[in-house]
Amino acid sequence: KCQTQNPDKSQIGAHVQDIQQLKDSFQSIVFNHTLRSTNGLAHILATETLKRSETVYMVGGVPVYTERVVEAEWEREPD
């Protein structure tokens, strides 16, 4: 959706339009699709940050609550 100039009418259309407008500002840009199942950490960061009304800058690591959730998920997963 981000690689085309066609207008997007889905629920994320406004975000796609913003990206399409911003991508012309870069000399080089690559878009890759990531499966939802492999994007768990980003989801945790987004939802917890919204719940806490925080602004997070991940320089050198991730927030402690993210590490706790990931560790708990690893413990639940079978080998």
Side-chain angles (χ1 to χ4, degrees):
K1 292 183 176 194
C2 295
Q3 294 173 337
T4 179
Q5 289 298 325
N6 298 334
D8 184 77
K9 295 179 182 172
S10 69
Q11 292 180 346
I12 62 167
H15 300 291
V16 173
Q17 183 179 4
D18 289 345
I19 292 168
Q20 288 173 339
Q21 291 174 351
L22 289 171
K23 72 180 183 182
D24 294 332
S25 303
F26 296 91
Q27 289 179 354
S28 174
I29 190 164
V30 176
F31 298 102
N32 292 316
H33 175 76
T34 302
L35 296 174
R36 184 176 297 165
S37 61
T38 61
N39 206 14
L41 182 58
H43 178 72
I44 292 166
L45 285 168
T47 55
E48 286 298 318
T49 301
L50 288 171
K51 284 180 194 174
R52 297 164 186 253
S53 298
E54 293 179 339
T55 300
V56 176
Y57 297 95
M58 295 181 298
V59 178
V62 295
V64 174
Y65 59 82
T66 306
E67 292 176 358
R68 289 186 196 135
V69 172
V70 170
E71 288 171 2
E73 287 181 1
W74 282 342
E75 291 174 4
R76 286 188 295 204
E77 289 182 9
D79 289 336

